[in-house]
Amino acid sequence: MSSNKPKIVVFISGKGSNLQRLIAQQKEYEVLSVFSNRRRALGLGFAKEAGIPFYVFDKRDYQDEPQQFQAIFERLKVLAPDLICLAGFSQII
C-alpha cells in the first residue's frame, strides 16, 4: 500500500463486521493496526487474515482502567496513526 495514504487504527470489541468492511475498502487509506479490549473478539480474525497487526488491551490485564488506557495511548504514540476509528468499541475513551 502507498505510504501517502492516511493510516488508521481501528478499535473493536466484538464480531468485527465494521472492521471487515474497512479492510475491504482500503483504497484511500491503510488500516495500520487493530486494537481490541477483548482478547476473544472475533474481529481479530479479520485482522490476522489480512496480515494487519493487532493488539489486545483486555481490562483484566491491568490494575485499573487508567492503566489500561495508558497502555493504549503509549502504543498509539508509537504507531502515530492519522486517524482512529472506533468500529464497535465497547468502552468510552
Side-chain angles (χ1 to χ4, degrees):
M1 288 184 206
S2 176
S3 63
N4 62 349
K5 292 181 180 181
K7 294 178 180 16
I8 67 172
V9 169
V10 181
F11 282 61
I12 66 167
S13 290
K15 293 180 183 178
S17 56
N18 292 321
L19 171 62
Q20 185 180 29
R21 288 184 199 97
L22 287 166
I23 291 171
Q25 299 296 319
Q26 292 185 88
K27 294 177 185 161
E28 302 296 324
Y29 57 86
E30 176 185 351
V31 177
L32 181 64
S33 185
V34 175
F35 287 19
S36 178
N37 61 341
R38 296 187 179 161
R39 67 177 60 91
R40 294 186 183 196
L42 297 176
L44 294 174
F46 295 126
K48 185 175 183 177
E49 184 177 291
I52 298 170
F54 59 88
Y55 302 90
V56 177
F57 301 93
D58 193 307
K59 64 183 177 180
R60 294 174 288 189
D61 296 335
Y62 300 92
Q63 185 175 0
D64 54 26
E65 193 173 78
Q67 190 180 67
Q68 176 195 23
F69 286 133
Q70 181 64 35
I72 290 170
F73 296 140
E74 286 176 12
R75 178 53 51 187
L76 284 171
K77 284 180 193 177
V78 170
L79 294 173
D82 299 306
L83 182 68
I84 295 169
C85 180
L86 302 179
F89 192 65
S90 67
Q91 279 184 279
I92 296 173
I93 296 181

